[in-house]
Amino acid sequence: MATSATDGPARAGQPGTELKAGLRDRHVTMISIAGVIGAGLFVGSANAIATAGPGVLISYAIAGLLVVLVMRMLGEMAAATPDSGSFSTYADRAIGPWAGFTVGWLYWWFWVLVIPVEATAAATILNSWVPSVPQWTWALVVTVLLTVTNLFSVANYGEFEFWFALLKVVAIVAFIVLGLLAIFGLLPGSGVSGVSHLVDSGGFLPSGFGAVVAAVLTTMFSFMGTEIVTIAAAESDHPEEKIGRATRSVIWRISVFYLASILLVVAIVPWNDPALKKNGSYQSALDVLGVPGAKGIVDVVVLVAVASCLNSSLYTASRMIYSLGRRGQAPAAVVRTTSKGVPRVAVLASTAVGFLTVIANYVFPEKVFATLLATSGAIALLVYLTIAISQLRLRAKLERAGAAMPVRMWAFPYLTWLVVIVIPVMLVYMATRPSSQLDLAMTAVIAIAVVVVGVLITRRGARDSAAEPPVHSDAGG
């Protein structure tokens, strides 16, 4: 069963409220491999490099280590009790219904806001290819197309994501091969040899270690989406096995796709080259390597990456609100599913809000949409903190219940406590940086509002449940 029947008011086997295992092994495998490769790697990495210089490698390593630890904790819980609500469900069980409500709705809001961001990014590229079609039209077309694919079956999401992910992996691997050939002097005409750019422009830490810490905040959000595999695996056969494999492989995925590729970028292009911010890190590197049509190649790869992220945004948001509905924390309509197990109302509800934000992006002043985006600025850190606290408390419950635990957190509870301590420190550091203060303040406002609503709703639900008369079977007819 894709979703536990104990999660909410829906009963097991009740027609029209259950998800179905429609994802194949290759879908889950590729989602787990390439889920970590977001558009942020191709687009946002230039800002991180400009902030920290070659020391950005330390930033990516720190952020990557934090994500590896969080994924291991999430993997432990998800492998023991797979659920489409993932960490929201575990927070509900470990901390309380208000916590599951809060982190679930905040996570849903995060991915709903990603929809217009990615749709606009895709539309910008498509508009540059076909200027006669307005940018807003391209954004609408891309969003509608991926919404339709998500409405038919989870296998459609899996199939699209499989090919999107495969193209992203091929692109990164090809870039790494070219970069290595250039560094070792084996790429004719590249003009690159060795890794001198790591230290020849002000040293490895040209802006000091403070800049490295600042870049961690930028790089951290590039990893958001790694956890999607624990949501998707719940709609596959033998989810605990797939979650175990995904969480075990996250170390090499981050090492190869992020650390190796970014190392090559800063080795090929001087970190203070103005082209980095203008053209992006990967296009700048390909230009230096003399690759013909570098801009077109990167545009195609970025288009695939943003389409993949948009596809995953629609899927993830719909499954999260579906799980909230299962627990009575969202309108009951969102748990309705089609004959193929697709929560169509949940998909349409998430898309509708996404459409409204797309419209806001084009109709209202830029500051309005920027303010909306700011509300999601620190949600990733709040989600990771909730996962750590949930694992800390749920581990004891699982052990007392004698539950099978195919995945176990390393050095428990010490590494879990390390994450619980480090994330608040990062939030405090955000509060001291003028560039992060708006994001932190807006996230705090929406988080407090959701917590208050969550406490009120879950308390009312508890009172209503307590007030219901017990049901007695009448054996005598």
Side-chain angles (χ1 to χ4, degrees), residues 158-229:
E159 197 64 27
F160 269 77
E161 198 55 30
F162 173 82
W163 291 107
F164 286 151
L166 183 60
L167 288 170
K168 289 190 291 184
V169 169
V170 169
I172 288 292
V173 171
F175 175 78
I176 290 173
V177 170
L178 279 176
L180 288 174
L181 289 174
I183 284 176
F184 288 107
L186 300 176
L187 189 66
S190 70
V192 176
S193 181
V195 293
S196 60
H197 287 325
L198 293 177
V199 294
D200 64 4
S201 298
F204 187 71
L205 300 175
S207 303
F209 195 76
V212 171
V213 177
V216 169
L217 300 174
T218 302
T219 58
M220 177 63 64
F221 303 114
S222 298
F223 291 111
M224 196 67 167
T226 312
E227 71 289 339
I228 290 175
V229 67

Side-chain angles (χ1 to χ4, degrees), residues 115-116 119-120 139-140 143 353-363 369:
I115 293 173
T120 301
L140 181 65
T143 307
V353 177
F355 271 130
L356 290 176
T357 50
V358 168
I359 293 170
N361 191 30
Y362 288 102
V363 175
F369 187 65

Side-chain angles (χ1 to χ4, degrees), residues 71-446:
M71 278 297 292
R72 187 71 182 186
M73 289 183 274
L74 182 56
E76 177 183 285
M77 296 183 289
T81 55
D83 191 281
S84 62
S86 189
F87 49 83
S88 173
T89 303
Y90 309 139
D92 193 306
R93 298 171 185 170
I95 304 172
W98 68 269
F101 178 97
T102 301
V103 75
W105 278 108
L106 287 177
Y107 191 71
W108 176 83
W109 178 240
F110 175 91
W111 285 110
V112 162
L113 286 181
V114 167
I115 293 173
V117 172
E118 303 301 339
T120 301
T124 302
I125 295 172
L126 292 168
N127 178 252
S128 70
W129 294 348
V130 189
S132 59
V133 178
Q135 188 170 311
W136 69 266
T137 303
W138 282 122
L140 181 65
V141 168
V142 171
T143 307
V144 169
L145 175 63
L146 293 177
T147 299
V148 170
T149 64
N150 273 269
L151 285 174
F152 284 103
S153 73
V154 68
N156 280 350
Y157 159 72
E159 197 64 27
F160 269 77
E161 198 55 30
F162 173 82
W163 291 107
F164 286 151
L166 183 60
L167 288 170
K168 289 190 291 184
V169 169
V170 169
I172 288 292
V173 171
F175 175 78
I176 290 173
V177 170
L178 279 176
L180 288 174
L181 289 174
I183 284 176
F184 288 107
L186 300 176
L187 189 66
S190 70
V192 176
S193 181
V195 293
S196 60
H197 287 325
L198 293 177
V199 294
D200 64 4
S201 298
F204 187 71
L205 300 175
S207 303
F209 195 76
V212 171
V213 177
V216 169
L217 300 174
T218 302
T219 58
M220 177 63 64
F221 303 114
S222 298
F223 291 111
M224 196 67 167
T226 312
E227 71 289 339
I228 290 175
V229 67
T230 64
I231 297 173
E235 291 183 75
S236 67
D237 294 320
H238 310 295
E240 63 284 344
E241 296 176 9
K242 298 179 177 65
I243 291 169
R245 286 200 300 268
T247 54
R248 284 190 291 269
S249 67
V250 72
I251 297 176
W252 72 259
R253 287 186 280 135
I254 288 176
S255 299
V256 172
F257 297 133
Y258 276 87
L259 294 181
S261 64
I262 295 297
L263 169 62
L264 291 171
V265 168
V266 293
I268 294 169
V269 186
W271 72 271
N272 53 359
D273 189 332
L276 274 173
K277 276 199 167 183
K278 180 181 178 182
N279 301 325
S281 49
Y282 289 84
Q283 182 183 328
S284 299
L286 292 177
D287 284 336
V288 171
L289 296 178
V291 176
K295 183 180 186 306
I297 293 171
V298 172
D299 278 352
V300 170
V301 173
V302 171
L303 181 61
V304 169
V306 297
S308 170
C309 193
L310 178 54
N311 192 38
S312 293
S313 300
L314 293 167
Y315 171 81
T316 308
S318 64
R319 271 30 177 205
M320 185 54 70
I321 196 173
Y322 167 85
S323 176
L324 288 165
R326 293 277 299 186
R327 287 173 273 145
Q329 297 173 356
V334 299
V335 303
R336 297 174 189 163
T337 57
T338 65
S339 59
K340 293 186 177 180
V342 176
R344 184 170 292 175
V345 176
V347 173
L348 291 174
S350 301
T351 306
V353 177
F355 271 130
L356 290 176
T357 50
V358 168
I359 293 170
N361 191 30
Y362 288 102
V363 175
F364 296 108
E366 187 177 331
K367 287 185 178 180
V368 173
F369 187 65
T371 302
L372 285 177
L373 283 181
T375 62
S376 66
I379 285 179
L381 292 175
L382 294 180
V383 168
Y384 291 160
L385 180 61
T386 301
I387 290 171
I389 295 173
S390 298
Q391 189 265 339
L392 197 62
R393 303 187 69 172
L394 198 57
R395 171 71 169 261
K397 293 184 178 181
L398 290 171
E399 288 181 337
R400 283 198 301 269
M405 299 178 66
V407 177
R408 287 180 177 268
M409 178 58 184
W410 305 301
F412 180 81
Y414 306 108
L415 288 181
T416 301
W417 273 111
L418 177 65
V419 173
V420 171
I421 294 170
V422 166
I423 291 179
V425 170
M426 293 177 68
L427 290 170
V428 170
Y429 184 75
M430 283 184 71
T432 66
R433 298 181 68 244
S435 60
S436 302
Q437 287 171 352
L438 176 62
D439 285 2
L440 187 62
M442 293 303 297
T443 303
V445 168
I446 193 172

